[in-house]
């Protein structure tokens, strides 16, 4: 399949697989230390393969995302869609929801800083350029 | 949330992984969803590894091989 991937994809499946393999290796090494065991190369490769497939049509998201998005008339997958994937396990759902909230609150922090700078713009000082208003930009 | 935690999937790797399987090239994944997906995959890998490790320990083995993984895989896929 090498070299036959559509031009839209920046990376070949092979290189993506290698990236997954690398991260899986890192994670397995953590578990090795944690549990005081050793993973054979084959088992790490197998986990990497399975993880790679989980992203495909047979696994976690794949066509599910497309169906969800089309139903909601969207073309962009959101965190709500990802959360749906975690619904089979209560603890997993709780964990992912928590992470999602952490993301949302860190985004709100960033937006607050941006919008207080913008509000500075809208006061009497109608400046042509966007400048940071240091007074209102306090967390 | 970091783009790559201590042993974690990179945001753009996750994005490309997902889009690899989208037949409709217009479907995209927003940044937060990518990060969340990376978390989900990290949990999946850790769970797979931990369960296989537990299986090896149950069998009194020091090394985890594909046999142990095969035994824990069905339940893992059901649980996920």
């Amino acid at each position: 399949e090498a070299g036959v991937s559509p031009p839209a994809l920046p990376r070949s499946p092979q290189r993506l697989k290698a990236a997954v393999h690398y991260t899986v290796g890192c994670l397995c090494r953590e578990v090795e230390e944690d549990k005081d065991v050793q993973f054979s190369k084959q088992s790490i490769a197998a986990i990497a393969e399975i993880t790679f497939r989980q992203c495909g049509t047979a696994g976690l998201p794949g066509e599910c995302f497309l169906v969800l998005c089309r139903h909601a008339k969207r073309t962009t997958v959101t965190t709500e869609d990802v959360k749906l994937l975690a619904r089979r396990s209560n603890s997993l759902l709780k964990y992912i929801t928590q992470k999602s909230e952490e993301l949302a609150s860190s985004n709100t922090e960033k937006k607050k800083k941006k919008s207080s700078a913008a509000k500075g713009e809208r006061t009497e000082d109608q400046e042509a350029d966007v400048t940071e208003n240091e007074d209102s930009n306090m967390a | 949330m970091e783009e790559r935690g201590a042993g974690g999937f990179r945001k753009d790797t996750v994005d490309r992984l997902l889009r690899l399987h989208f037949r409709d090239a217009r479907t995209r994944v927003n940044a937060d969803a990518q990060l969340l997906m990376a978390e989900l995959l990290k949990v999946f890998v850790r769970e797979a590894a931990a369960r296989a490790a537990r299986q090896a320990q149950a069998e009194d083995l020091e090394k985890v091989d594909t046999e142990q993984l095969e035994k824990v895989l069905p339940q893992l896929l059901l649980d996920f």
Side-chain angles (χ1 to χ4, degrees), chain A residues 42-118:
Chain A
Q42 293 87 345
S43 63
I44 294 179
I47 296 177
E49 181 69 30
I50 293 160
T51 305
F52 183 81
R53 288 193 200 181
Q54 278 294 83
C55 298
T57 55
L60 290 171
E63 294 294 317
C64 289
F65 274 154
L66 284 182
V67 172
L68 283 170
C69 288
R70 291 235 180 88
H71 185 74
K73 299 198 168 96
R74 289 187 263 116
T75 52
T76 305
V77 174
T78 64
T79 52
E80 291 310 304
D81 300 321
V82 178
K83 275 193 233 168
L84 278 175
L85 291 179
R87 69 193 183 284
R88 277 190 196 163
S89 156
N90 279 338
S91 50
L92 180 63
L93 182 59
K94 205 166 151 196
Y95 177 79
I96 287 295
T97 304
Q98 190 190 316
K99 288 285 166 189
S100 165
E101 280 159 19
E102 280 172 26
L103 272 172
S105 65
S106 86
N107 285 344
T108 316
E109 282 302 309
K110 289 183 202 162
K111 276 185 192 157
K112 268 188 204 155
K113 289 183 185 164
K114 267 192 196 173
S115 71
S116 46

Side-chain angles (χ1 to χ4, degrees), chain B residues 60-76:
Chain B
D60 242 336
L61 298 164
E62 278 175 11
K63 199 158 198 195
V64 183
D65 221 326
T66 51
E67 283 83 11
Q68 284 69 48
L69 186 62
E70 278 168 25
K71 287 177 186 167
V72 301
L73 203 51
Q75 192 59 50
L76 175 70

Side-chain angles (χ1 to χ4, degrees), chain A residues 30 38 40 75 77 95 107, chain B residues 6 28 32 39 46 64-65:
Chain A
E30 285 177 20
Q38 244 204 321
S40 69
T75 52
V77 174
Y95 177 79
N107 285 344
Chain B
R28 308 171 59 191
D32 283 356
E39 273 304 310
R46 283 218 178 112
V64 183
D65 221 326

